[in-house]
Amino acid sequence: MDCIFCKIIAGEIPSDKVYEDENVLAFRDINPQAPVHVLIVPKKHMRNILECDAQTAAAVTEAVGKVARQEGVSVSGFRVVTNCGRDGAQSVEHLHFHLLGGDKLSESMA
Ligand code: 5GP
Ligand code: ZN
């Protein structure tokens, strides 16, 4: 399958990894939108949140907490976003959650 995140998970494309467990890989976004911008990605390929099962949602949620603490933003705060489909401006069709922080983020969500 021609999926860039599956290739990163397989180690075929390098990434700046910040966290990994059995179900999840987290790495820095190549084009950061905030001082901390980490992508939290289930290892199992699924296109977007509409295909996300409960086990994956739990694994990602746990990883969010670990990455936020590790990156030092759990006290100051952060934002988690997943874009879905055309109107959601999703550009990579492998489910991923953006963890953004390290500075005061925009009050605007869209
Ligand atoms: P989306 O627009 O689908 O919500 O987010 C995709 C994100 O993946 C973008 O923020 C983009 O910068 C990031 N991205 C795309 N290709 C790569 C890559 O090869 N490596 C890394 N680390 N990030 C990528
Ligand atoms: Zn994939």
Side-chain angles (χ1 to χ4, degrees):
M1 201 192 304
D2 196 25
C3 170
I4 194 162
F5 286 177
C6 279
K7 287 179 181 165
I8 287 175
I9 289 158
E12 292 163 16
I13 293 174
S15 69
D16 188 356
K17 287 183 198 178
V18 301
Y19 174 77
E20 182 168 16
D21 64 29
E22 195 188 336
N23 301 303
V24 173
L25 181 68
F27 50 91
R28 295 193 196 285
D29 197 293
I30 206 167
N31 181 25
Q33 307 290 313
V36 173
H37 187 170
V38 174
L39 300 174
I40 298 173
V41 183
K43 288 185 173 175
K44 187 165 73 173
H45 181 88
M46 51 195 86
R47 268 195 299 175
N48 57 46
I49 197 165
L50 297 173
E51 296 185 356
C52 187
D53 55 273
Q55 192 195 348
T56 301
V60 166
T61 303
E62 205 170 303
V64 164
K66 288 181 176 168
V67 171
R69 282 185 214 98
Q70 195 178 301
E71 293 293 311
V73 297
S74 62
V75 175
S76 52
F78 59 94
R79 180 173 292 156
V80 176
V81 175
T82 189
N83 296 326
C84 182
R86 186 195 59 200
D87 283 358
Q90 181 179 8
S91 64
V92 175
E93 291 214 325
H94 180 132
L95 176 63
H96 53 282
F97 295 80
H98 299 256
L99 188 155
L100 299 143
D103 204 352
K104 181 85 171 78
L105 300 174
S106 164
E107 306 257 344
S108 164
M109 290 288 288

